[in-house]
Amino acid sequence: MNATAKPALISVEDAKRLDVQRVQDLMQKHMNPGQLHFLKLLGFNRVLIERAEGMYYIDRNGRRILDFFGGFGSLAFGHNHPRILEARIRFQEEKRQEIAMAFMSQYAAALSYNLAAIAPGDLDMAFLCVSGSEANEAALKLAERAAGERRTVVYTERSFHGKTRAALSVTDSEFYQGSFELLPNRVRVPFGDAAALEAAFRRDRSIGTFILETVQGGAGIVPGPEGYLKAVRELCDRYGVLWLADEVQCGYGRTGRFFAFEHEAVVPDIVTLAKSLGGGKTAIGAYIARTPIFMKAYGSPKTAMIHGPATFSGMGEACCTAIEALNVLYDEGLIDNAAEQGTYLLDRLNQLQRKHPKIIKEVRGKGLMVGLELADISQTLPLGVKHLVSVLDERLKGSLCGFVGALLFRDYDVLVAFTEYNRNVIRLEPPLIVGRAEIDRFVEALDDLLSRGVGRIVGDYVKATLRGGKSEPVG
Ligand SMILES: Cc1ncc(COP(=O)(O)O)c(C=O)c1O
């Protein structure tokens, strides 16, 4: 008999059967009540997803929700791509080695080779981890060791690099940085401004690293001006600074090239990846570094393990998933599809902007990383409505995006996201498998919604949220 009594645990089968109310209760009591509050504001608290396939989430009632959010760029292959799923199932059935700490792993080695094969120049040394933050954290440490005495890191305004401490220190957000103790030796420069970067390099000779999202995501989907990356490469070379490209969100084919920096035919010193690297099925991140830089930091037996693999680096199933996913990406021509469908999406959204010029302020992006900036209505909302909305939530006040997102979901079964720093931007990062039919469906839904006009959109949102909206009879 067991001496230790089993607590009242929920089994996997019971978990599958939890209803909406019970999941909300569990979130409230055991997760993050504030997060639940945000889900409620968008009406996302009323569904439980049963399955997901391709471009769609499918809830318990069979409602199919078109995914133009794409998990912030984590779903290049859509949901449950059959080949990726199959590779994972085979891996499990064959009872392959999972934790790769004691022995060599053919999967970690093969994935590292594949990453080097994809990356241009001598970006040949890969480090595997489990998230984008961890990849940036490790890359910043690598750069620090390679840069020697020059320990200062330059980052850009409105950057987002993650929430672990080093990544957070170069993430330009008072909200996320809060009152945490951050790394010293940081310099912030405007994004997209080569002259400001050079001025910083000239002023401060302790600068050794420049970290940059090639296309800013959280800032509101912002690519730099033409020629910016060429200037960054040239300046980093001239001043002996290492360039760390964060491609966690904009990489992996999203902009129509595997890496967004390839649009300017330049090569950084280190690049980080995560999100879609896991094929939409697993958590995996990586950095890829130029060989001389890696060797300088960790090239001898004495230094190799200073920041070597952690417990879950190179997990068997994660690596096997990532290997299959990379093969699928090329076999199915998804990078070219991102370029082609991205052009079509931008085209159709530009047409929509001409039709609704008072609501859509700007359409921008590259490939399937698109930002739709809506008018800032925070100053023009009638006082009464403003008050009502602010009662619902302080942060949504005046964010037309929040109302549009909630109604796209409620009335059109379409999912979109927003950007962290610019609340007026709808973030569109559909899976790279998207076709014209889904783009047409998305644009037509948006057109129909915007045709209601700002007044009705806000009114419909307020009514839906106050009343609890269309409720889902979930069993
Ligand atoms: C550009 C960028 N860098 C880093 C991260 C952090 O990645 P993770 O959430 O996997 O830690 C993100 C996440 O959104 C990101 O967009």
Side-chain angles (χ1 to χ4, degrees):
M1 217 185 73
N2 286 338
T4 310
K6 185 179 178 183
L9 300 180
I10 297 172
S11 69
V12 173
E13 284 312 307
D14 289 343
K16 280 187 210 161
R17 285 192 290 267
L18 293 175
D19 66 18
V20 161
Q21 191 52 53
R22 180 92 165 105
V23 174
Q24 291 191 23
D25 290 347
L26 295 179
M27 278 191 79
Q28 184 74 29
K29 290 198 192 104
H30 303 293
M31 287 176 67
N32 184 332
Q35 184 192 359
L36 182 61
H37 168 77
F38 280 107
L39 295 180
K40 280 182 182 161
L41 281 173
L42 294 166
F44 294 172
N45 64 316
R46 296 186 205 115
V47 289
L48 280 177
I49 299 303
E50 178 84 4
R51 290 184 304 119
E53 59 185 25
M55 291 291 301
Y56 292 91
Y57 287 99
I58 301 146
D59 83 357
R60 283 188 180 173
N61 302 315
R63 177 181 175 195
R64 292 171 69 81
I65 299 155
L66 180 63
D67 187 2
F68 263 60
F69 158 48
F72 294 122
S74 305
L75 287 158
F77 304 92
H79 300 270
N80 288 309
H81 189 287
R83 254 182 74 181
I84 299 172
L85 205 54
E86 176 56 34
R88 288 166 63 82
I89 291 167
R90 240 179 299 129
F91 186 91
Q92 294 297 351
E93 283 175 354
E94 291 166 4
K95 296 197 165 78
R96 297 279 171 172
Q97 156 185 271
E98 195 65 85
I99 304 276
M101 289 176 81
F103 300 104
M104 293 194 299
S105 157
Q106 54 273 54
Y107 303 102
L111 177 58
S112 301
Y113 164 82
N114 284 353
L115 291 172
I118 281 158
D122 60 349
L123 285 167
D124 282 338
M125 298 296 274
F127 169 87
L128 303 175
C129 55
V130 294
S131 73
S133 298
E134 195 188 348
N136 281 329
E137 199 81 11
L140 284 164
K141 286 176 75 181
L142 169 75
E144 183 173 327
R145 277 190 61 80
E149 295 303 303
R150 296 172 61 180
R151 287 171 175 259
T152 300
V153 180
V154 178
Y155 65 105
T156 65
E157 288 173 4
R158 307 177 106 202
S159 56
F160 186 89
H161 297 294
K163 294 176 189 162
T164 52
R165 198 158 311 243
L168 181 65
S169 299
V170 290
T171 285
D172 182 32
S173 161
E174 266 181 42
F175 176 71
Y176 291 124
Q177 288 187 341
S179 53
F180 295 110
E181 202 67 53
L182 301 170
L183 299 186
N185 311 327
R186 294 168 291 132
V187 171
R188 188 181 57 178
V189 295
F191 177 80
D193 185 340
L197 186 65
E198 177 163 24
F201 285 178
R202 205 179 294 138
R203 222 174 13 245
D204 186 347
R205 299 302 303 194
S206 75
I207 290 171
T209 305
F210 176 42
I211 182 166
L212 176 74
E213 284 168 88
T214 314
V215 179
Q216 287 192 317
I221 312 296
V222 189
E226 192 81 29
Y228 177 56
L229 300 177
K230 271 201 161 50
V232 166
R233 182 65 279 172
E234 198 271 315
L235 288 171
C236 285
D237 286 342
R238 186 153 17 116
Y239 289 88
V241 173
L242 297 175
W243 169 17
L244 195 179
D246 179 343
E247 297 242 354
V248 166
Q249 191 170 148
C250 64
Y252 210 88
R254 181 145 295 279
T255 67
R257 307 294 293 264
F258 189 91
F259 296 105
F261 58 70
E262 291 177 273
H263 289 285
E264 289 200 20
V266 285
V267 183
D269 298 295
I270 311 167
V271 58
T272 52
L273 289 171
K275 296 197 187 280
S276 282
L277 186 60
K281 290 304 290 180
T282 194
I284 186 165
Y287 73 60
I288 316 165
R290 295 183 49 229
T291 302
I293 290 163
F294 184 87
M295 294 309 282
K296 195 165 170 196
Y298 304 124
S300 71
K302 219 167 129 188
T303 57
M305 302 310 275
I306 291 175
H307 193 117
T311 308
F312 295 136
S313 305
M315 290 280 289
E317 191 184 352
C319 290
C320 151
T321 306
I323 291 169
E324 186 69 2
L326 281 172
N327 279 278
V328 171
L329 186 75
Y330 289 92
D331 290 345
E332 297 194 354
L334 295 182
I335 302 178
D336 295 339
N337 193 55
E340 189 187 324
Q341 303 302 338
T343 304
Y344 181 65
L345 176 62
L346 281 166
D347 248 28
R348 292 228 48 194
L349 291 173
N350 280 317
Q351 284 165 19
L352 211 59
Q353 193 211 0
R354 289 192 284 280
K355 186 168 172 195
H356 305 282
K358 290 210 176 99
I359 304 184
I360 301 178
K361 189 173 157 200
E362 195 186 8
V363 176
R364 55 175 178 262
K366 246 193 174 93
L368 290 171
M369 186 170 182
V370 172
L372 192 65
E373 181 153 359
L374 302 187
D376 181 355
I377 57 163
S378 57
Q379 303 312 313
T380 51
L381 271 183
L383 222 60
V385 179
K386 210 175 192 169
H387 175 68
L388 245 174
V389 174
S390 70
V391 169
L392 290 174
D393 181 73
E394 193 54 32
R395 287 189 73 203
L396 269 190
K397 184 169 56 178
S399 164
L400 192 50
C401 284
F403 312 143
V404 168
L407 293 175
L408 274 176
F409 177 66
R410 191 192 71 152
D411 296 345
Y412 302 91
D413 301 332
V414 169
L415 184 67
V416 295
F418 319 103
T419 57
E420 281 95 350
Y421 306 148
N422 188 339
R423 288 273 149 190
N424 294 319
V425 176
I426 290 185
R427 180 189 327 229
L428 304 173
E429 294 180 355
L432 308 189
I433 57 168
V434 72
R436 280 193 175 211
E438 290 100 8
I439 291 177
D440 288 341
R441 196 190 136 199
F442 166 73
V443 174
E444 277 149 29
L446 185 63
D447 184 18
D448 195 61
L449 175 60
L450 298 188
S451 299
R452 295 182 195 179
V454 171
R456 253 194 72 203
I457 290 172
V458 178
D460 288 351
Y461 170 81
V462 171
K463 266 187 273 168
T465 309
L466 286 180
R467 279 204 218 111
K470 183 168 80 174
S471 70
E472 302 284 328
V474 179

